[in-house]
C-alpha cells in the first residue's frame, strides 16, 4: 500500500541506480548488525573455545591455548550456574503471566469507554518504564529495607512483620520491581494494537448480543494475539537475562548470591573471577537456552493458532 | 495474501527469536579480548603520566608534583563506582592509565596476566622506608611490582557507654569476647556484641591474618590454598557459636540497615581496619563521643593482631615510561612531604617508616572521646604476623566465600561447611588455570 506513495520518484532509480538503491538503504542496518551483533557473537564463540593457562606459580606469564569444550564442561558442572536457570525460569513462570495479565487488563480498560482521565492514567502506568532499571532497583531497595522503608514500617504498625529481603521472598521482591518497570510499555503496545482492530467487529459482536466483557475476551484479545505474543516473548527473554535489579539489590542484601541469575553468573565469571573465556561459554549457553525457550513459545503459539483456525472450518 | 502471511509471519518471528536470543552472547564478547600490551617508543625528555586512584586529597599532591617536576607531568583521574573493574579491560585494550591504585589482594592476578610492570630497578632503594609486610605484599618471585600505599591493621571499636552500663569489661581475648557477648545479650536482649556481615570478607581476612593463617602460601613451587585450614576453622567455630547462640546480627555491612543498627546502639563492637574509624564517625554521627578503640581481641597465648589488606600504586603494562611513573609513585607514597596529606586528608594508615613517625598520625579524635585512636593501630601494625601471602584468583575466593557465608547466616549450613566449599572452588579454579596446586 505504500507503493503508490513512492511511485512518482521511482523513475529516478532506473538502471544501475535501481539495483544499487536497496543495498544503500539497508547498508546502515547491515553494518551495525554485523559490527554489534554478528561480530560479538562470533568473538564470544571463539573466546569460549580458548583458555588462559599459566604454569607453576604463574609468575612466568600466561598464554592463550585452545581448550575445546573445556569451558562448556566447567559451566555445565557448575551447579550454581544451572540453579540460576531454574531460578529465572520459576521467576518467569510467575512474573510474566502476572505482568501480562495486568498489562492486558489495563490496555482493555483504557480501550473501553469506562475510564475517565484516560490520558493521565495511561501516562501514570507508563511512567515507571521511563525510570532506568538501576534507579528503579535502588528506589525499591530502599522501600524494602525495614529501617528506611515506610512500607515495612506501615505494615509493622498494623501488626504485619514483612521481610522483603529474606531468602524466600527476595526473588518476588525483584519480580515486583520488574513488573512495576515493564508493565507500562507492554500496556502501551497492547493498547496500540487494540486501536487497529476495526470497530465494526465490536458492533457486529454487540448486535449478536455480546456484552463488554465478552467482547474483550472473545474479540479484542484474539485480535491482538500477535502483539500479546511479541510482548510475552520479549518478557520471557528479559526474564532469562535478568541482571540489573538483582545486581543492584545485592548491595542491600546478602540473600542474592553472585550467581543468582545466569547473567549475574556470567558477570561474576568475567569480572570477579577474571575468566572471560569461561564467561563467554556461559553466555553462549544462555543465548542458546534463550533461543530454545523462544522457539518453544512460538511452537506452542503456532499450534494454538492452527487449532483455532481448524476449529473455524 | 492469506496464503503467504502465516509463513512470512512465522519466518519473521523465528528471525526475531534468533536475534533476541543471541543478544546475550553479543553483550559478553565486549568484555573479553586477548591480553596484550601496547608499546610505543616515546623517547622525548618529558613524560606524561596518567594516574588513577581513589584516596582523598591525591589531587593536591599531584598538583604539587606537577609544579616541582615540569619534566614529568601527571594527569590524575579519581576512581569512583566500579572504575576498579574497568582497569583490566582498559589495560588489555591498550587504553589503560600508566599508574593505578590497587588492592594488594588483587596484585598477583595482575602479575600473572602481565598487566603490571616489574619496577625493581627503579625502586629497590625505597625498600628501607617501608614496613617488611607491606614490601612483601608487592614483591613476587624476587621482583617488585608496586609501591605500597597504606595498610589495614586491626582494632576494635566499642561502645564504651554500653559496656559500662552493663558492667562488662572490654574483652581482650576472643574467649572474653564470647563471655561479653553472652553477658550483654542476657542483660539486654535487644543488644548484640557484633554484626557478622557475610559479605565483608575483610573482617574475616584480618582474623585469619591474626591467627597466622593465609589463604595462599607457596610450597615446593606450587600454591597451597589455606582457606579451609585449621586456623580458619577455629575462627569459623568462634563465629558459629556466636551465631548459634543468637549473639550477633547478620546485616550486610555498608547498607542503610546496617548503619541504622549502629546508630541505634544495637551493636556494641566492630572489629576492623585502621581506615574504619573515620568511616564510622562519618556514618554514625549521632553516637559521637560514645565510641573508643581497643586492640582487637587476641587468641589465647598470643598478642597477634591482624591486617585486612593494603593498597599499592602499580605501573601498568601499557606505561611508556615506567621509570618516570615509578619515580612519581615512590615520591607520592614515600616522600616526607606527602605523608601528612596522605594521613590526614587521605585517611590512610601509612606503610612507611616516615609516615608511622609522623605527628599527623597522633591526632585526638572527638568522636572517640578525645582518644588518639592510631596509637592502637600503630601497635597493631607492629604485632601483625607476616604469614599472610597474597595469591592468584583472590576474586574467586572472596566471591565463593561471601556467597557461602550468606547461606550460613540463614542457617542453611555452617561456617566450616562454607570454608570447605570455598576451598574447593578456589583449588578447582587454580587448576583450571594450569597453575600448580598442592593438595
Amino acid at each position: 500500500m505504500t507503493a503508490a506513495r513512492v511511485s512518482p520518484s521511482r523513475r529516478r532509480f532506473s538502471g544501475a541506480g535501481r539495483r544499487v538503491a536497496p543495498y544503500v538503504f539497508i547498508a546502515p542496518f547491515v553494518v551495525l548488525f554485523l559490527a554489534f551483533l554478528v561480530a560479538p557473537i562470533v568473538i564470544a564463540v571463539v573466546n569460549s573455545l580458548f583458555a588462559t593457562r599459566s604454569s607453576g606459580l604463574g609468575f612466568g606469564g600466561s598464554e592463550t591455548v585452545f581448550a575445546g569444550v573445556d569451558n562448556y564442561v566447567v559451566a555445565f558442572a557448575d551447579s550454581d550456574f544451572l540453579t540460576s536457570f531454574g531460578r529465572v525460569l520459576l521467576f518467569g513462570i510467575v512474573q510474566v503471566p502476572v505482568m501480562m495479565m495486568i498489562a492486558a487488563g489495563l490496555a482493555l480498560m483504557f480501550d473501553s469507554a469506562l475510564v475517565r482521565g484516560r490520558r493521565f492514567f495511561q501516562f501514570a502506568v507508563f511512567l515507571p518504564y521511563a525510570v532506568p532499571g538501576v534507579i528503579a532497583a535502588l528506589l525499591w531497595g530502599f522501600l524494602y529495607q525495614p529501617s528506611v522503608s515506610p512500607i515495612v514500617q506501615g505494615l509493622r504498625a498494623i501488626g504485619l512483620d514483612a521481610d522483603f529481603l529474606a531468602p524466600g521472598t527476595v526473588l518476588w521482591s525483584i519480580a515486583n520491581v520488574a513488573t512495576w518497570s515493564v508493565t507500562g510499555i507492554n500496556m502501551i503496545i497492547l493498547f496500540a494494537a487494540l486501536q487497529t482492530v476495526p470497530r465494526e467487529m465490536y458492533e457486529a459482536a454487540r448486535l449478536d448480543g455480546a456484552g463488554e466483557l465478552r467482547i474483550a475476551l472473545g474479540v479484542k484479545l484474539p485480535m491482538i494475539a500477535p502483539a500479546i505474543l511479541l510482548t510475552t516473548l520479549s518478557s520471557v527473554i528479559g526474564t532469562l537475562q535478568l541482571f540489573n535489579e538483582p545486581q543492584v539489590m545485592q548491595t542491600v542484601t546478602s540473600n542474592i548470591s553472585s550467581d543468582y541469575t545466569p547473567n549475574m553468573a556470567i558477570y561474576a565469571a568475567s569480572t570477579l573471577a577474571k575468566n572471560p573465556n569461561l564467561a563467554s561459554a556461559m553466555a553462549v549457553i544462555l543465548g542458546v537456552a534463550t533461543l530454545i525457550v523462544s522457539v518453544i513459545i512460538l511452537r506452542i503459539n503456532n499450534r494454538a493458532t492452527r487449532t483455532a483456525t481448524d476449529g473455524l472450518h | 495474501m492469506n496464503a503467504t502471511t502465516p509463513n512470512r509471519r512465522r519466518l519473521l518471528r523465528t528471525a526475531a527469536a534468533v536475534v533476541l536470543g543471541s543478544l546475550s552472547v553479543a553483550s559478553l564478547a565486549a568484555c573479553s579480548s586477548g591480553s596484550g600490551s601496547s608499546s610505543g617508543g616515546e623517547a622525548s625528555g618529558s613524560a606524561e603520566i596518567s594516574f588513577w586512584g581513589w584516596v582523598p586529597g591525591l589531587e593536591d599532591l599531584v598538583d604539587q608534583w606537577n609544579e616541582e617536576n615540569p619534566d614529568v607531568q601527571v594527569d590524575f583521574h579519581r576512581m569512583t563506582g566500579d572504575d576498579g573493574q574497568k582497569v583490566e579491560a582498559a589495560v588489555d585494550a591498550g587504553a589503560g592509565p600508566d599508574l593505578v591504585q590497587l588492592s594488594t589482594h588483587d596484585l598477583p592476578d595482575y602479575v600473572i596476566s602481565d598487566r603490571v610492570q616489574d619496577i625493581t630497578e627503579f625502586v629497590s632503594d625505597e625498600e628501607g622506608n617501608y614496613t617488611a609486610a607491606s614490601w612483601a605484599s608487592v614483591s613476587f618471585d624476587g621482583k617488585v611490582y608496586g609501591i605500597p600505599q597504606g595498610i589495614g591493621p586491626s582494632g576494635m571499636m566499642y561502645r564504651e557507654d554500653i559496656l559500662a552500663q552493663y558492667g562488662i569489661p572490654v574483652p581482650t581475648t576472643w574467649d572474653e569476647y564470647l563471655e561479653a557477648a553472652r553477658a550483654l545479650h542476657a542483660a539486654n536482649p535487644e543488644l548484640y556484641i557484633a554484626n557478622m556481615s557475610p559479605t565483608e570478607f575483610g573482617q574475616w581476612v584480618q582474623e585469619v591474618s591474626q591467627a597466622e593463617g593465609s589463604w595462599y602460601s607457596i610450597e615446593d613451587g606450587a600454591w597451597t590454598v589455606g582457606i579451609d585450614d585449621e586456623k580458619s576453622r577455629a575462627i569459623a567455630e568462634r563465629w558459629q557459636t556466636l551465631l548459634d547462640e543468637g549473639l550477633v546480627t547478620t546485616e550486610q555491612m555498608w547498607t542503610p540497615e546496617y548503619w541504622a543498627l549502629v546508630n541505634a546502639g544495637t551493636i556494641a563492637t566492630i572489629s576492623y581496619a585502621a581506615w574504619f574509624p573515620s568511616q564510622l564517625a562519618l556514618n554514625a554521627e549521632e553516637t559521637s563521643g560514645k565510641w573508643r578503640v581497643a586492640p582487637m581481641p587476641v587468641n589465647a597465648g598470643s598478642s597477634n593482631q591482624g591486617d585486612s589488606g593494603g593498597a599499592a600504586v602499580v605501573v601498568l603494562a601499557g606505561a611508556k615510561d615506567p621509570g618516570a611513573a615509578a619515580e612519581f609513585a615512590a615520591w607520592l607514597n614515600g616522600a616526607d612531604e606527602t605523608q601528612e596529606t596522605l594521613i590526614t586528608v587521605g585517611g590512610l594508615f601509612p606503610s612507611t617508616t616516615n609516615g608511622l613517625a609522623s605527628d599527623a598520625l597522633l591526632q585526638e579524635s572527638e568522636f572517640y572521646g578525645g582518644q588518639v585512636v592510631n596509637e592502637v593501630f600503630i601497635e597493631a601494625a607492629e604485632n601483625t604476623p607476616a604469614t599472610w601471602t597474597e595469591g592468584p584468583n583472590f576474586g574467586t575466593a572472596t566471591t565463593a566465600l561471601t556467597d557461602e557465608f550468606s547461606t550460613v547466616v540463614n542457617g542453611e549450613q555452617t561456617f566450616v561447611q562454607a570454608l570447605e566449599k570455598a576451598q574447593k572452588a578456589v583449588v578447582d579454579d587454580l587448576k583450571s588455570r594450569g597453575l600448580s596446586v598442592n593438595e
Side-chain angles (χ1 to χ4, degrees):
Chain A
M1 73 184 176
T2 48
R5 213 181 271 171
V6 292
S7 60
S9 55
R10 191 183 277 174
R11 232 176 312 146
R12 274 185 229 155
F13 300 110
S14 54
R18 196 169 178 179
R19 279 194 299 274
V20 174
Y23 299 106
V24 173
F25 278 117
I26 63 164
F29 167 77
V30 171
V31 169
L32 293 175
F33 183 77
L34 290 176
F36 294 107
L37 198 81
V38 176
I41 291 171
V42 171
I43 293 171
V45 171
V46 171
N47 268 333
S48 73
L49 300 175
F50 287 85
T52 306
R53 293 275 155 81
S54 311
S55 59
L57 294 175
F59 296 130
S62 55
E63 53 176 358
T64 303
V65 296
F66 184 75
V69 295
D70 283 6
N71 289 318
Y72 291 90
V73 172
V74 172
F76 278 113
D78 181 349
S79 62
D80 291 329
F81 180 55
L82 300 181
T83 308
S84 73
F85 277 94
R87 193 174 288 121
V88 290
L89 219 59
L90 174 68
F91 178 100
I93 286 169
V94 176
Q95 190 263 344
V96 172
V98 168
M99 188 271 298
M100 287 307 299
M101 274 188 258
I102 299 173
L106 286 169
L108 288 170
M109 249 164 60
F110 290 130
D111 185 58
S112 73
L114 296 172
V115 183
R116 285 170 196 277
R118 194 176 78 187
R119 284 194 177 276
F120 170 77
F121 285 110
Q122 256 183 329
F123 181 67
V125 172
F126 180 73
L127 201 58
Y129 182 70
V131 177
V134 171
I135 308 290
L138 277 173
L139 222 138
W140 279 99
F142 277 103
L143 291 174
Y144 289 150
Q145 291 186 84
S147 66
V148 288
S149 165
I151 297 176
V152 178
Q153 283 164 7
L155 286 171
R156 272 194 191 155
I158 57 167
L160 286 172
D161 201 4
D163 184 354
F164 294 114
L165 299 172
T169 51
V170 71
L171 185 65
W172 310 117
S173 299
I174 296 168
N176 176 54
V177 181
T179 307
W180 180 82
S181 295
V182 299
T183 301
I185 185 69
N186 289 310
M187 179 275 290
I188 291 286
I189 293 169
L190 297 183
F191 179 77
L194 280 171
Q195 306 313 299
T196 64
V197 178
R199 298 279 137 173
E200 301 86 59
M201 297 199 60
Y202 305 159
E203 230 165 275
R206 255 179 227 116
L207 285 175
D208 286 342
E212 284 298 325
L213 189 66
R214 187 87 182 82
I215 292 174
L217 298 177
V219 180
K220 291 183 178 179
L221 285 183
M223 287 302 287
I224 60 167
I228 292 176
L229 176 74
L230 174 80
T231 45
T232 306
L233 192 61
S234 50
S235 301
V236 168
I237 290 164
T239 300
L240 280 165
Q241 308 204 344
L242 197 63
F243 180 76
N244 282 349
E245 292 86 356
Q247 182 75 18
V248 171
M249 282 175 54
Q250 203 186 24
T251 59
V252 300
T253 175
S254 53
N255 291 323
I256 298 173
S257 61
S258 63
D259 41 22
Y260 199 70
T261 70
N263 253 342
M264 284 177 74
I266 293 166
Y267 172 82
S270 73
T271 310
L272 304 176
K274 305 176 201 308
N275 193 342
N277 301 106
L278 173 61
S280 297
M282 290 160 84
V284 171
I285 293 171
L286 174 59
V288 171
T290 311
L291 182 65
I292 291 171
V293 171
S294 306
V295 169
I296 289 173
I297 292 181
L298 289 169
R299 277 278 163 80
I300 292 171
N301 183 267
N302 283 348
R303 191 166 302 164
T305 317
R306 206 173 305 141
T307 318
T309 324
D310 289 348
L312 287 176
H313 295 297
Chain B
M1 180 188 160
N2 277 338
T4 60
T5 305
N7 278 334
R8 219 178 116 205
R9 199 185 281 167
R10 191 180 307 157
L11 186 72
L12 282 170
R13 281 179 194 159
T14 313
V18 171
V19 169
L20 289 165
S22 50
L23 276 176
S24 64
V25 182
S27 62
L28 193 90
C31 301
S32 77
S33 67
S35 71
S37 61
S38 69
S39 59
E42 197 177 344
S44 67
S46 68
E48 262 207 37
I49 291 162
S50 52
F51 170 38
W52 292 8
W54 68 74
V55 169
L58 286 179
E59 286 89 347
D60 293 342
L61 293 172
V62 167
D63 285 347
Q64 192 183 336
W65 166 273
N66 284 341
E67 228 163 83
E68 292 167 9
N69 299 275
D71 302 347
V72 181
Q73 291 293 299
V74 177
D75 178 29
F76 177 68
H77 165 75
R78 173 159 293 285
M79 296 167 85
T80 53
D82 60 354
D83 277 1
Q85 286 155 4
K86 292 180 195 153
V87 176
E88 291 172 47
V91 175
D92 293 348
D98 300 314
L99 281 171
V100 74
Q101 195 187 356
L102 200 69
S103 161
T104 49
H105 291 316
D106 295 326
L107 190 48
D109 266 344
Y110 273 74
V111 175
I112 288 172
S113 46
D114 297 324
R115 292 192 177 105
V116 284
Q117 298 196 31
D118 169 11
I119 54 169
T120 316
E121 55 173 314
F122 310 114
V123 300
S124 49
D125 54 340
E126 300 285 328
E127 184 174 351
N129 189 32
Y130 291 84
T131 61
S134 71
W135 199 259
S137 72
V138 295
S139 310
F140 299 95
D141 222 20
K143 293 171 189 156
V144 181
Y145 290 93
I147 304 280
Q149 187 181 54
I151 48 174
S154 59
M156 179 180 75
M157 286 64 9
Y158 67 97
R159 282 288 294 265
E160 198 257 340
D161 59 327
I162 293 176
L163 294 189
Q165 186 188 343
Y166 296 101
I168 297 165
V170 178
T172 58
T173 66
W174 285 113
D175 291 335
E176 288 176 21
Y177 194 77
L178 181 58
E179 281 168 37
R182 287 174 179 147
L184 181 68
H185 196 64
N188 183 346
E190 308 245 299
L191 301 186
Y192 299 87
I193 194 75
N195 179 71
M196 168 70 210
S197 171
T199 52
E200 199 64 15
F201 60 84
Q203 289 185 313
W204 190 266
V205 165
Q206 70 185 358
E207 289 183 35
V208 174
S209 143
Q210 177 187 40
E212 300 184 12
S214 181
W215 284 2
Y216 302 92
S217 52
I218 299 172
E219 283 166 34
D220 309 326
W223 291 104
T224 300
V225 180
I227 292 177
D228 184 29
D229 69 3
E230 286 301 311
K231 287 146 189 162
S232 288
R233 277 171 181 251
I235 301 164
E237 269 148 31
R238 170 194 305 161
W239 286 99
Q240 194 67 49
T241 309
L242 288 162
L243 185 70
D244 289 346
E245 295 186 18
L247 306 174
V248 290
T249 55
T250 56
E251 274 308 323
Q252 178 159 327
M253 209 165 177
W254 308 105
T255 61
E257 201 64 22
Y258 173 76
W259 293 117
L261 286 177
V262 172
N263 276 299
T266 308
I267 303 168
T269 73
I270 304 168
S271 297
Y272 219 165
W275 47 261
F276 187 76
S278 59
Q279 294 295 319
L280 179 62
L282 204 66
N283 288 288
E285 251 174 289
E286 301 161 33
T287 59
S288 180
K290 296 175 178 170
W291 294 88
R292 299 290 181 278
V293 184
M296 183 165 79
V298 295
N299 291 305
S302 161
S303 57
N304 280 348
Q305 288 291 310
D307 190 309
S308 51
V313 174
V314 301
V315 179
L316 292 169
K320 294 184 189 94
D321 192 342
E327 194 194 344
F328 166 73
W331 173 84
L332 177 71
N333 293 349
D336 291 341
E337 52 193 322
T338 60
Q339 299 305 308
E340 192 179 334
T341 308
L342 289 176
I343 294 163
T344 55
V345 184
L348 285 185
F349 189 86
S351 41
T352 49
T353 319
N354 53 358
L356 285 166
S358 168
D359 289 340
L361 208 54
L362 302 173
Q363 305 282 324
E364 289 180 2
S365 166
E366 211 177 296
F367 187 86
Y368 297 92
Q371 189 186 357
V372 179
V373 298
N374 277 332
E375 284 175 349
V376 175
F377 294 108
I378 290 172
E379 212 189 315
E382 285 163 5
N383 286 318
T384 302
T387 24
W388 178 272
T389 308
E390 303 292 2
N393 79 354
F394 191 79
T396 303
T398 55
T399 306
L401 200 76
T402 54
D403 277 356
E404 297 301 338
F405 279 6
S406 296
T407 63
V408 171
V409 299
N410 291 333
E412 290 170 38
Q413 61 176 345
T414 65
F415 280 113
V416 170
Q417 289 168 326
L419 292 180
E420 281 168 13
K421 288 185 189 162
Q423 168 92 12
K424 186 177 179 306
V426 171
V427 169
D428 288 351
D429 183 61
L430 288 178
K431 281 194 208 154
S432 78
R433 288 165 192 240
L435 298 170
S436 310
V437 188
N438 295 312
E439 280 186 278

